[in-house]
Amino acid sequence: MRRRLIAPAVLLLAAALGCTEAGTAAPAPGSAAVPAAEPEVRPLGRIIPAPASVEPGGAPYVLTAATRIGAPAHPGARAVAEQLAAALRPATGFRLPVVTDGSADLRLRLDPAAGPLGEEGYELRSAPGRLTLTARTPAGLFRGVQTVRQQLPAAVERDTVQHRAWRIAGGTVTDVPRFPYRGAMLDVARHFFTPGEVKAYIDRIALYKYNVLHLHLTDDQGWRIAIGSRPALTAAGAATEVGGGPGGFYTQDEYRAIVRYAAARHIEVIPEIDMPGHTHAALVAYPELTCDGKPRQPYTGIEVGFSTLCARKEEVYAFADDVLREIAALTPGRYVHIGGDEATSTSPADYRAFMDRVQPLVARHGKKVMAWHQLAGGATPAPGALIQYWGLDRTAAEEKETVAAAARAGAGVVLSPADRAYLDMKEEAGTPLGLTWAGTVSVRRAYEWDPGTHLPGVPEAAVRGVEAPLWTETLATPAHLDRMAFPRLPGLAELGWSPTEARNWDAYRLRLAEQAPRFEALGIDWYRSPDVPWPAGS
């Protein structure tokens, strides 16, 4: 799926270093620095992702101590208004009451007739004395609120009162996403991250209009979700992680809380239960799922491809049914990801037999299949399946064609090319965090590709969107996550949201540089890529 072998020494080096040392780069020679001070009014639409349409004009709207936030009686819209107020109160010091009468100067509106806005689009109108955000759905209002946040000075993200003016440039933004799927994946199997740490990552991705959190819950190193019918999965399978740390797992209540937290931010959680490979932690718990039945010891390395469920045993399908039944019941979203990659210890015949048995189990429990693109080469994807492509520019044409054939047969495709979208790849050689098996992935390389045309033979109509995976073989702390995700995460969000004509590297690098004060206000320590003219002192 995702990795090749790397020397254990790399892991030791990464674990030993704090993220503040990891990959700091000096500005490129001759690059112009963006002024450290933000303008009093950010030009309309100068945000990430770039909006579909911007019509600047007129004097700005000013947020004041007298501002009231209006919302319709709809509970979803009211919740978004309360979120906006909660986000703005700490830095502004304003009360910002949420009201349903006509007294508000900052208004959120639901308009079911606004068909062109779709499920997530919005319109923002800014003028003196009135700012109006309109959408067809609460999800559209929530995406628009992220635009409001970014149009305000970055200091609005601070948690103490900032004494300054709060202006939003005049004009109209009309915005809809290019693709319906804009995902970020977090691997909690290699290193475990607590519910609070996952929620913090959800907040990071929400600001940039991501709408999917793909949680990689199981792998060789650990099983991270409690399954009531299979208690040994967490009693034995969750007790370690890469490098031999304590591991951990989510209770079902903790997992539900993560799902609710994401849903409140209009983000769908897709859980991944990887199989038939990447299953060593499950085999530690239940050795009868192997073909030889021999006990396994916990695994703390990062090599791949050695584990497999025994496709010839009925116990395996009873196990898969138990796990998928409980995961489906815990997850209100549409998909369950069943992995399917790097099953090199599974014969092609056994792989096909396994997937032919397991995919219907997903449907039986009311979900659709999502899987890595090896499913398309080794079995027939189930109706409505999503195929997640992680190949490289150098991936063989025959392998790419299996994905194209599945797309032509009706499967949807999510693009996560490892040499473009994998956030665990180093930005440049020599930095202590990250891997290089897919090469180095600079912020520019991560931005300069088109999901709609990237995979030969896959029509854009079959492309559902893009996902930015963050694997954690070398990442053990939230600070490590930030250092590898930023500044590439916003650019991949733009690939999924913005129209092709709105994207241009030379313009984007300036908008990205302007995010630096926001990163700082949010407590994000990011990689200072030499491709970007960061503000002096950032």
Side-chain angles (χ1 to χ4, degrees):
M1 182 163 35
R2 303 101 41 172
R3 306 139 314 269
R4 298 295 182 266
L5 310 188
I6 65 171
V10 174
L11 300 177
L12 297 176
L13 176 61
L17 291 173
C19 73
T20 56
E21 302 173 28
T24 300
S31 64
V34 176
E38 284 191 286
E40 282 296 307
V41 183
R42 179 179 301 280
L44 194 66
R46 199 170 172 88
I47 62 172
I48 299 174
S53 173
V54 180
E55 297 179 8
Y61 167 79
V62 182
L63 190 76
T64 72
T67 293
R68 298 160 70 86
I69 299 176
H74 187 285
R78 173 86 186 201
V80 174
E82 294 285 2
Q83 288 171 318
L84 174 60
L88 301 184
R89 283 172 184 144
T92 64
F94 302 156
R95 289 182 57 247
L96 303 177
V98 176
V99 300
T100 55
D101 57 34
S103 64
D105 56 299
L106 196 168
R107 298 177 56 204
L108 276 59
R109 297 179 58 248
L110 284 179
D111 182 0
L117 295 180
E119 292 301 306
E120 294 185 275
Y122 64 90
E123 180 189 78
L124 178 67
R125 290 182 178 271
S126 175
R130 176 60 59 90
L131 187 140
T132 304
L133 184 62
T134 302
R136 280 187 58 226
T137 68
L141 289 177
F142 185 82
R143 308 297 174 227
V145 160
Q146 310 320 306
T147 293
V148 172
R149 286 174 62 186
Q150 286 197 47
Q151 286 291 162
L152 287 165
V156 81
E157 308 294 350
R158 297 196 179 274
D159 56 9
T160 57
V161 174
Q162 309 293 304
H163 298 286
R164 59 167 304 154
W166 305 104
R167 298 186 177 96
I168 294 178
T172 301
V173 173
T174 305
D175 203 9
V176 294
R178 180 184 180 190
F179 294 110
Y181 186 112
R182 304 174 309 283
M185 192 219 76
L186 182 61
D187 170 18
V188 297
R190 274 39 174 279
H191 281 100
F192 179 67
F193 291 86
T194 67
E197 290 165 347
V198 174
K199 290 174 183 177
Y201 198 68
I202 290 170
D203 286 334
R204 302 280 201 252
I205 68 175
L207 177 59
Y208 296 101
K209 301 186 174 75
Y210 282 88
N211 65 354
V212 171
L213 174 69
H214 169 184
L215 272 182
H216 184 75
L217 290 167
T218 69
D219 216 296
D220 294 316
Q221 299 85 353
W223 186 284
R224 306 301 183 203
I225 179 68
I227 301 296
S229 59
R230 300 282 177 161
L233 286 170
T234 47
T240 191
E241 59 190 13
V242 168
F249 67 92
Y250 308 119
T251 67
Q252 292 196 357
D253 283 345
E254 287 172 331
Y255 176 78
R256 288 189 188 97
I258 291 170
V259 170
R260 286 194 301 270
Y261 192 87
R265 289 145 185 81
H266 298 275
I267 291 173
E268 177 181 359
V269 172
I270 297 179
E272 181 179 355
I273 305 297
D274 207 344
M275 50 188 168
H278 289 280
T279 47
H280 185 84
L283 303 180
V284 169
Y286 294 100
E288 64 269 27
L289 301 177
T290 68
C291 288
D292 62 20
K294 294 179 180 179
R296 265 59 173 174
Q297 295 302 310
Y299 179 67
T300 62
I302 64 167
E303 294 183 2
V304 300
F306 62 90
S307 62
T308 184
L309 298 169
C310 188
R312 299 186 296 278
K313 283 189 170 182
E314 284 302 313
E315 297 99 307
V316 164
Y317 301 106
F319 167 81
D321 193 35
D322 285 344
V323 172
L324 292 170
R325 180 183 66 252
E326 294 194 34
I327 283 291
L330 292 168
T331 306
R334 298 162 290 174
Y335 295 96
V336 170
H337 201 302
I338 58 171
D341 66 309
E342 292 177 333
T344 54
S345 294
T346 312
S347 71
D350 281 353
Y351 184 93
R352 176 174 288 277
F354 179 86
M355 287 301 182
D356 286 349
R357 291 284 298 273
V358 168
Q359 289 189 93
L361 297 179
V362 176
R364 179 188 303 174
H365 298 302
K367 303 300 178 185
K368 294 181 180 180
V369 167
M370 187 170 180
W372 300 103
H373 74 263
Q374 282 72 23
L375 175 65
T380 302
L386 279 186
I387 302 300
Q388 186 170 3
Y389 177 77
W390 62 271
L392 317 176
D393 285 358
R394 65 176 182 266
T395 293
E398 294 81 2
E399 187 173 351
K400 294 177 180 178
E401 173 54 26
T402 65
V403 181
R408 292 193 294 269
V413 178
V414 172
L415 275 296
S416 298
D419 54 352
R420 303 279 182 169
Y422 271 29
L423 299 177
D424 55 304
M425 293 297 107
K426 294 175 183 284
E427 279 224 16
E428 63 179 357
T431 57
L433 296 176
L435 308 178
T436 58
W437 62 261
T440 56
V441 180
S442 68
V443 64
R444 181 170 187 170
R445 181 171 176 79
Y447 183 79
E448 286 194 314
W449 62 284
D450 184 352
T453 60
H454 184 74
L455 199 54
V458 175
E460 182 166 334
V463 175
R464 300 293 181 265
V466 63
E467 183 175 291
L470 185 52
W471 303 101
T472 61
E473 287 94 336
T474 70
L475 313 180
T477 70
H480 290 168
L481 301 183
D482 278 351
R483 178 52 70 105
M484 296 304 288
F486 290 89
R488 292 174 294 186
L489 187 80
L492 289 161
E494 182 152 307
L495 292 182
W497 181 280
S498 303
T500 303
E501 58 272 17
R503 292 193 292 106
N504 172 277
W505 167 251
D506 289 333
Y508 174 73
R509 66 194 288 267
L510 300 179
R511 282 186 289 118
L512 181 58
E514 292 168 355
Q515 292 287 307
R518 199 166 303 272
F519 296 163
E520 291 173 344
L522 290 167
I524 297 171
D525 180 26
W526 73 101
Y527 173 78
R528 274 69 168 176
S529 167
D531 290 342
V532 180
W534 303 108
S538 66

